[in-house]
Amino acid sequence: MPSPSPLRVVQWATGAVGRFSLRTLINRPEFELVGVLVYDPDKVGLDAGPLVGLPETGVLCTDDVEKILALEADCVLHMPLPAASFGGDPSTDVETICTLLASGKNVVTTTGFVYPRCYGPAVVGRLEAACAAGGTSLHGTGINPGFMSDMLPLALTGLSTRIDHVYVRESSDFKGHPSRQIVVDLFGFTRSAKDYAAAVRPFRAYQRALFAESVQFVADNLDVTLDEVEESDEFELASEEFEIAAGVVRTGTVCASRWTFSGLVRGRPFMTVECVYKADAAKVNRWPEPGFIIHIEGVPQMTLTVDEISHGLAGAAAHAVNSVAALCAAPPGIRTLLDLPLATGRGTVRLA
């Protein structure tokens, strides 16, 4: 029996997550890289392989969206920094995704859209119409949201006879994160308290919308009607100067932040997602050490701890890539985590 033809995939953006995704696409025989969209002018015209330390592929990077749209491709791995996270128009990503879907390309995105229903019937209608026009499907994913605060809590509740509260905590160390745009411009590390308050404002709105997707997704799939999703955040200032990959954290500047998102029912939290971000976990004693914890309060009580994910960016990229085949085989429309088969590392096992 002949082997199935490789799935033709486009890599959209080659930043912190996109580079891991691109490397995976090139290395795995079940995929054929057919296009790469970049935002950095210095990358335009470069071969995709050397961009991630691999041999030449013959596929050149472009910033021409029309060239990408004209390609024959099964799927686009859409991984830019979300426009809304920097105060841009949140409809920009919706417009781009709809254009890709309508052009006949399935889309896996890491910009959110884990549960588009959160954005209301108008956005859902636009996405579904684009899927119908192109005969395509959309799937939003990532590590958190996209797995830790969505898939795993719901999987654990399969063991429950009563659920009182769902709690998820992420604590992440940004010491080795290479992107100044993310670490400084987005998360606000290395900034003064005054500059942080102003700079993080658009990011706060984006974070609230993003994690509201997770909380709403879990609630809806447990037949819980939320009254609202409440957000709070705080930050910590460095007591000493230290260096991270994205720059220097000086004494008295922001070195960590803690965000809490709670889905409330009659004023009581049904689900809480806590996110702790540290410029360098070894230099910040406040708040928990890196790792993930999921706690289901009820009968039975359950706690799942993930002590380490050595490279969260690689994990986020892998979960997206590992979802491509299932999405391409799915009927047209928005496809959440529960609409697709479980994404696994099939094809990645190395025994030698």
Side-chain angles (χ1 to χ4, degrees):
M1 184 174 180
S3 300
S5 300
L7 292 170
R8 295 167 60 85
V9 183
V10 170
Q11 178 62 49
W12 186 289
T14 57
V17 176
R19 289 173 64 86
F20 284 99
S21 173
L22 179 58
R23 172 181 281 272
T24 301
L25 290 176
I26 294 171
N27 280 330
R28 285 173 59 175
E30 66 266 40
F31 301 115
E32 178 187 355
L33 180 70
V34 296
V36 180
L37 190 285
V38 294
Y39 291 90
D40 185 348
D42 292 339
K43 295 179 181 179
V44 174
L46 298 180
D47 189 283
L51 194 64
V52 290
L54 296 175
E56 291 193 353
T57 63
V59 178
L60 302 183
C61 300
T62 181
D63 60 357
D64 189 334
V65 173
E66 294 302 320
K67 284 186 178 180
I68 297 295
L69 292 174
L71 290 172
E72 290 291 330
D74 297 296
C75 189
V76 175
L77 283 163
H78 177 257
M79 297 177 171
L81 287 174
S85 62
F86 286 98
D89 185 350
S91 67
T92 300
D93 289 325
V94 177
E95 186 66 35
T96 299
I97 289 170
C98 284
T99 302
L100 290 169
L101 291 167
S103 75
K105 300 170 183 61
N106 297 290
V107 175
V108 177
T109 184
T110 55
T111 62
F113 303 96
V114 169
Y115 196 46
R117 180 178 170 182
C118 278
Y119 300 114
V123 170
V124 170
R126 288 182 63 192
L127 293 170
E128 290 284 8
C131 289
T136 51
S137 299
L138 168 67
H139 178 62
T141 188
I143 274 196
N144 194 37
F147 189 77
M148 289 295 181
S149 57
D150 324 81
M151 174 64 81
L152 284 186
L154 279 174
L156 284 178
T157 65
L159 301 177
S160 298
T161 59
R162 192 188 79 220
I163 301 168
D164 298 324
H165 183 238
V166 178
Y167 171 77
V168 179
R169 184 182 71 221
E170 167 193 356
S171 181
S172 294
D173 189 345
F174 281 73
K175 179 181 179 180
H177 200 298
S179 173
R180 183 174 177 84
Q181 189 177 24
I182 292 176
V183 176
V184 177
D185 298 340
L186 203 62
F187 284 88
F189 296 158
T190 78
R191 293 181 180 271
S192 68
K194 181 179 178 180
D195 288 345
Y196 174 88
V200 82
R201 189 175 294 115
F203 184 50
R204 181 179 292 115
Y206 169 71
Q207 282 277 85
R208 185 191 181 283
L210 188 66
F211 282 96
E213 290 192 60
S214 289
V215 174
Q216 190 69 60
F217 178 70
V218 172
D220 282 0
N221 281 289
L222 294 176
D223 291 329
V224 174
T225 301
L226 298 178
D227 297 323
E228 62 176 317
V229 177
E230 184 179 72
E231 179 271 332
S232 64
D233 61 272
E234 55 185 317
F235 59 85
E236 179 78 349
L237 300 178
S239 59
E240 62 178 302
E241 182 175 306
F242 57 89
E243 188 171 353
I244 58 176
V248 176
V249 180
R250 304 192 187 282
T251 303
T253 63
V254 175
C255 65
S257 58
R258 175 181 176 269
W259 303 69
T260 304
F261 310 90
S262 295
L264 303 180
V265 178
R266 294 185 295 278
R268 295 183 59 187
F270 153 72
M271 179 174 180
T272 302
V273 179
E274 178 184 2
C275 298
V276 173
Y277 306 120
K278 299 185 179 187
D280 182 348
K283 302 292 186 180
V284 181
N285 294 322
R286 190 180 180 191
W287 300 317
E289 290 299 302
F292 291 86
I293 187 168
I294 301 169
H295 178 69
I296 310 295
E297 183 179 343
V299 180
Q301 302 270 17
M302 288 176 278
T303 300
L304 173 67
T305 301
V306 180
D307 289 326
E308 179 186 16
I309 294 182
S310 64
H311 210 308
L313 301 176
H319 200 248
V321 173
N322 290 335
S323 301
V324 168
L327 186 68
C328 290
I334 295 170
R335 297 287 167 246
T336 71
L337 283 161
L338 296 186
D339 298 318
L340 297 176
L342 180 67
T344 70
R346 183 176 183 177
T348 67
V349 177
R350 299 291 181 268
L351 300 178

